[in-house]
Amino acid sequence: MVSVERAHLEGAVIALDTSNEVIACAVGRAQGAEVTLLAEENVAAHRASNTRLLSVLDGLCTSASVSREDICAVAVGRGPGSFTGVRIAMATAKGIASALGVPLIGLSTLEAVAWKAWDSGIRGRLLVAGDAMRKEVYPAYFQLDGAGVQRLTEDRVIKAEAFKEDIPASGIHLTGDALLKYAELFGHTESQLAPELWTPTGRGLLLALGSVLSAKGAGALTRPDEVLPIYTRLSDAEEAERARLATDDARDLASGVQHQGDGLHIAPFSARFAEEAASLEGACMGTDAWNARMLADELDRTDRVWWMATRGGKLAGYAGALVVDGDAQILKVCTSPDARRSGVATALLGRALEDARNLGAKTCSLEVRESNAGARAFYETCGMTFSGMRPGYYSDRESAAIYEACIDAVISKLNTTPAKSVAGIPLDDRSSGNEAGKGERPLILAIETSCDETAAAIINGEDAILSDVVASQIDFHARFGGVVPEIASRKHIEAICGVAQAALEDAGVTWRDLSAVSATYAPGLVGALVVGVAFAKGAAWALGVPYVSVNHLEGHIYANKLGCPDAAPFAPPAVVSLVSGGNTLLVHMKDWQDYEVLGATIDDAVGEAFDKVAKALGLPYPGGPQISRLAKEGDPSAVDFPRALLHSGDYRFSLSGLKTAVITYIQKAREAATLNVADVCASFQAAVIDVQVAKAARALDETDAPTFCLGGGVAANPELRRAYEQMCEDRGVRLVMPPLESCGDNAAMIALVALDRFRQGKLSSLDSDAYAHADLEEAY
């Protein structure tokens, strides 16, 4: 574990930032709050930060004669800036700090730019405008004098055209990489700094670090998992969702993603519940209650966050906050009488504060009636501190007690549950409990972040999986009907330190015991993969051990080892069916790491088709398990859906036509009031399985492979597994399948591949990157 109990720093420090198109890196020497520059390098990255960052850092440490053991802290730019760029430095720094067991200190990229201007002799009022993409800027004002840099405004994002009107024509210096793209908007200002002062430098980072250490002392020395990027806005998907929910138009409840069951459901506030909320508020807050229109008017404001809880379609509570000048002012936390003391308020407050933090809030505050002892006790248990009274605040002249806190501290407190969790995400420990052979080297840590699971596993030299930990983000994506890449990336950066630490602890090993660190490099969501790759490479660099890249698809093939007893291990040759949300392939596995792709989907993947059909039926995400469950009650021959490419004579797959046919049928049947959901699920599933099994059978016949196996999330489908069992039995072919819990994305399968590659010396450079696509046939 990382210790942050030191009173001050003494030793070497490293600082890195990749928030824009520049890698800013420095090595310094810290003595308390005094940080001396030893070496720096600032190089144009041009979207190559992940491939160049560690080589730059390594060269600086060598030139400054600083070893890994000398490093007592890591500092990293938190942005604001390019989301992917910020996460590259952040994940790398988290990997380094975690492996070395030292604090990680987050710095503002804009403050580093301001300190760079100060170091060049600029004095007076300074505006740093960072490029926020989407024709937006990140503006922050600073005052520079002989004593240093003082921030005047908090981080925010604003349209560049609108911000132009806020900039005074004189009396201010202007800098920042937004000038590169929006120079014409700021041409009316008198003092634009030289282009070399527009981006952060290593020296600027160390000056910003010294300022933070001076201001916060030991409070600046935080654990790696506590440092997160500065976002200042929600993801596009969340913003669009809030705009939609802010209208009181009733949703078409016969389509789209719907919540099933009578359990508690937490979601962004919908204007459809405004009247119900007003009624609840009137009962709880008397003359200070808001009416329905006041509540509804809040929902489409970009500086507000509102969440609600429902149970059985009825409102159980809601919470909202206003974000202003870096503070989340909690406006409401209200629960129905029957939902109190059941965790509803805790869940609502946590979600509201997480959104507020993403909008740039650093602190949180609220007022509560002086006499409301229950509410005051609740906020105190949440980590908020009483800071004074506001006399006569309420309409009946009762005074309000004021509570304040650091927003990160409250979120951390709210996310602490008896069950093991990371960043509010429950951890699923899939370890077998096998304690034997923990000391057998090599010991490899594997990281998997290709989609919406943050996973880590430890494997030893006897092929034993010592730990296998998964933090799934399904709950965060379910309301959108599918994985939102931006949300996935954010959740990975929040969870990765805790997941890796949990894997180490469950295995009974430490960072220093590791022989190598590995990660999935492709295929998958690039923004998600980057987090795992950068973290793993940072940890490998810090430990001085090899880094091993792993192909995610190859991991799914190796997952079949997990389902085989030692007496009958899985071995090639084999035909492999890989079926998941992103891939549908039929592969001839000639040997380990020797694959021939016989055929693949020419459009949608199987899992993708399941999810889209489920969405059309109004079933929750992920759709595969929902369709499988309902198909048990239906007639697979009720609807004759097409079997695309069934008789094509090759191994290509096509799911798009089938998906369209099913959705068209659903629409017509719904109009005619003849829709039988179970029959549609069973018939659709049968159409998919018929094609998959027929082509697998043909591949077995043509290759004479003695074994058939499968992998990917859809491999957990019970009916598909039964169909493959029958096919293999008919042909006298051995069937190998991964355990159900290992069909989806996990790190144990990545660890198995990594161990083989490590033994064969197939190591990867620290200049390696992440990729959305990868050819299984090509060596890597």
Side-chain angles (χ1 to χ4, degrees):
M1 291 293 290
V2 175
S3 172
V4 295
E5 299 302 320
R6 62 190 81 195
H8 65 278
L9 293 182
E10 186 170 349
V13 295
I14 57 174
L16 46 152
D17 188 293
T18 58
S19 298
N20 46 41
E21 291 295 319
V22 172
I23 294 174
C25 198
V27 177
R29 182 72 60 181
Q31 181 65 48
E34 296 293 326
V35 184
T36 304
L37 177 68
L38 298 179
E40 71 168 327
E41 188 168 353
N42 311 289
V43 296
H46 303 302
R47 300 182 181 272
S49 297
N50 202 26
T51 61
R52 301 185 61 186
L53 177 57
L54 283 171
S55 62
V56 170
L57 176 60
D58 193 63
L60 286 179
C61 288
T62 299
S63 66
S65 299
V66 168
S67 68
R68 275 70 151 179
E69 290 72 22
D70 295 330
I71 298 171
C72 68
V74 180
V76 63
R78 300 173 55 219
S82 158
F83 289 162
T84 299
V86 170
R87 281 190 282 267
I88 288 171
M90 180 72 68
T92 302
K94 283 175 176 273
I96 294 171
S98 296
L100 293 179
V102 301
L104 178 62
I105 303 166
L107 305 174
S108 163
T109 298
L110 301 184
E111 287 181 19
V113 174
W115 275 104
K116 177 180 179 179
W118 178 88
D119 190 49
S120 70
I122 301 299
R123 297 296 182 268
R125 199 169 182 216
L126 174 71
L127 167 62
V128 181
D131 180 13
M133 311 295 180
R134 303 197 311 188
K135 298 182 179 180
E136 295 177 331
V137 296
Y138 299 119
Y141 287 95
F142 299 88
Q143 185 67 39
L144 280 55
D145 56 27
V149 173
Q150 179 185 357
R151 179 186 276 270
L152 302 178
T153 60
E154 295 296 334
D155 293 310
R156 61 174 175 145
V157 64
I158 187 172
K159 290 294 182 183
E161 187 68 43
F163 184 63
K164 170 186 175 182
E165 307 303 322
D166 295 345
I167 306 173
S170 61
I172 191 166
H173 300 285
L174 182 62
T175 189
D177 65 342
L179 292 177
L180 187 64
K181 185 180 294 186
Y182 309 113
E184 72 283 356
L185 295 178
F186 307 122
H188 65 291
T189 58
E190 292 181 352
S191 181
Q192 291 188 19
L193 302 189
E196 58 266 24
L197 298 178
W198 291 358
T199 55
T201 61
R203 179 172 175 79
L205 289 168
L206 291 186
L207 289 168
L209 172 60
S211 175
V212 170
L213 293 173
S214 295
K216 296 184 178 181
L221 309 183
T222 50
R223 300 194 315 266
D225 62 299
E226 296 175 319
V227 180
L228 297 174
I230 297 172
Y231 291 119
T232 74
R233 64 186 175 206
L234 304 177
S235 68
D236 290 349
E238 290 168 307
E239 289 181 349
E241 177 188 50
R242 276 156 175 71
R244 174 177 57 78
L245 292 176
T247 68
D248 58 6
D249 296 335
R251 287 187 63 189
D252 174 13
L253 298 183
S255 62
V257 181
Q258 307 299 327
H259 178 67
Q260 301 292 308
D262 295 327
L264 188 69
H265 181 45
I266 307 294
F269 198 104
S270 169
R272 292 193 302 110
F273 287 86
E275 291 288 352
E276 198 171 338
S279 176
L280 176 58
E281 179 140 334
C284 297
M285 301 183 182
T287 57
D288 293 291
W290 291 4
N291 60 38
R293 176 47 55 194
M294 294 169 67
L295 287 165
D297 286 347
E298 289 276 304
L299 302 183
D300 62 353
R301 299 185 58 170
T302 58
D303 59 351
R304 304 290 205 275
V305 293
W306 286 90
W307 282 79
M308 67 178 186
T310 58
R311 180 180 283 121
K314 299 294 184 181
L315 189 69
Y318 56 95
L322 158 68
V323 179
V324 57
D325 293 333
D327 183 62
Q329 298 176 8
I330 300 167
L331 302 173
K332 307 278 183 182
V333 179
C334 187
T335 57
S336 62
D338 61 346
R340 290 170 189 165
R341 293 179 176 83
S342 63
V344 172
T346 299
L348 289 169
L349 183 59
R351 289 296 181 92
L353 290 182
E354 285 180 5
D355 277 1
R357 180 173 62 185
N358 287 341
L359 292 176
K362 299 176 182 176
T363 59
C364 56
S365 61
L366 60 86
E367 293 90 10
V368 61
R369 284 183 177 271
E370 180 181 12
S371 62
N372 193 340
R376 293 182 67 174
F378 167 70
Y379 292 123
E380 288 168 5
T381 61
C382 292
M384 302 193 74
T385 303
F386 171 70
S387 62
M389 300 296 295
R390 187 158 286 144
Y393 179 75
Y394 293 98
S395 59
D396 59 3
R397 309 308 298 164
E398 181 176 353
S399 297
I402 304 170
Y403 284 84
E404 299 175 336
C406 167
I407 197 168
D408 285 339
V410 177
I411 291 173
S412 178
K413 189 89 170 177
L414 293 173
N415 282 340
T416 301
T417 61
K420 186 187 291 185
S421 66
V422 170
I425 306 173
L427 292 184
D428 177 10
D429 181 4
R430 302 174 178 177
S431 308
S432 64
N434 178 15
E435 298 291 323
K438 285 191 176 181
E440 293 297 327
R441 298 185 70 84
L443 286 168
I444 299 176
L445 166 66
I447 302 290
E448 157 62 28
T449 62
S450 65
C451 192
D452 61 339
E453 274 86 27
T454 312
I458 303 289
I459 191 170
N460 70 4
E462 295 183 343
D463 287 19
I465 301 296
L466 303 183
S467 63
D468 183 18
V469 177
V470 179
S472 176
Q473 307 169 8
I474 284 179
D475 288 347
F476 294 94
H477 300 280
R479 69 182 196 263
F480 301 104
V483 176
V484 179
E486 175 60 24
I487 294 176
S489 299
R490 293 187 183 202
K491 291 302 174 184
H492 285 311
I493 204 72
E494 291 178 26
I496 194 163
C497 290
V499 170
Q501 187 63 42
L504 291 165
E505 292 176 358
D506 289 350
V509 302
T510 70
W511 285 101
R512 298 290 180 178
D513 295 324
L514 297 178
S515 309
V517 184
S518 66
T520 303
Y521 83 96
L525 302 175
V526 169
L529 287 164
V530 158
V531 174
V533 168
F535 180 87
K537 291 196 304 180
W541 177 84
L543 298 171
V545 301
Y547 164 67
V548 183
S549 295
V550 173
N551 184 303
H552 178 76
L553 297 177
E554 189 169 24
H556 277 303
I557 294 175
Y558 271 67
N560 287 277
K561 282 188 171 185
L562 300 172
C564 291
D566 292 341
F570 165 57
V575 169
V576 188
S577 173
L578 294 178
V579 281
S580 67
N583 299 280
T584 299
L585 299 91
L586 200 57
V587 179
H588 182 202
M589 181 186 185
K590 300 176 181 179
D591 201 348
W592 296 113
Q593 302 174 31
D594 183 5
Y595 313 105
E596 177 190 2
V597 176
L598 301 175
T601 181
I602 60 176
D603 40 57
D604 293 348
V606 170
E608 182 183 6
F610 269 89
D611 288 338
K612 289 180 178 178
V613 168
K615 188 172 184 178
L617 287 168
L619 302 176
Y621 173 85
Q626 303 298 329
I627 288 178
S628 174
R629 175 179 59 83
L630 290 168
K632 295 177 183 177
E633 305 167 8
D635 178 2
S637 62
V639 187
D640 186 20
F641 288 128
R643 272 73 170 161
L645 301 180
L646 178 62
H647 304 294
S648 63
D650 57 29
Y651 297 106
R652 293 175 302 149
F653 299 92
S654 175
L655 280 301
S656 179
L658 170 62
K659 174 198 67 180
T660 301
V662 176
I663 293 174
T664 300
Y665 176 88
I666 292 170
Q667 292 170 342
K668 292 180 177 179
R670 186 171 282 136
E671 291 171 359
T674 59
L675 180 64
N676 184 313
V677 175
D679 283 352
V680 171
C681 289
S683 299
F684 163 69
Q685 180 177 265
V688 172
I689 292 174
D690 284 352
V691 177
Q692 293 295 318
V693 173
K695 299 216 170 195
R698 182 167 179 265
L700 285 168
D701 292 343
E702 291 192 359
T703 62
D704 287 326
T707 302
F708 178 78
C709 62
L710 60 158
V714 183
N717 182 287
E719 197 60 36
L720 179 65
R721 292 168 82 97
R722 279 193 289 271
Y724 280 138
E725 286 174 354
Q726 185 63 54
M727 178 200 70
C728 291
E729 182 180 336
D730 292 345
R731 282 167 172 73
V733 170
R734 183 189 182 194
L735 173 64
V736 176
M737 295 187 288
L740 289 176
E741 66 272 14
S742 300
C743 291
D745 297 343
N746 63 88
M749 67 185 193
I750 305 303
L752 289 165
V753 181
L755 180 60
D756 262 11
R757 296 184 66 81
F758 178 84
R759 286 168 170 160
Q760 296 164 16
K762 295 181 177 179
L763 311 178
S764 304
S765 165
L766 294 180
D767 293 340
S768 301
D769 207 351
Y771 298 95
H773 306 285
D775 189 339
L776 188 59
E777 293 181 332
E778 291 185 4
Y780 62 99

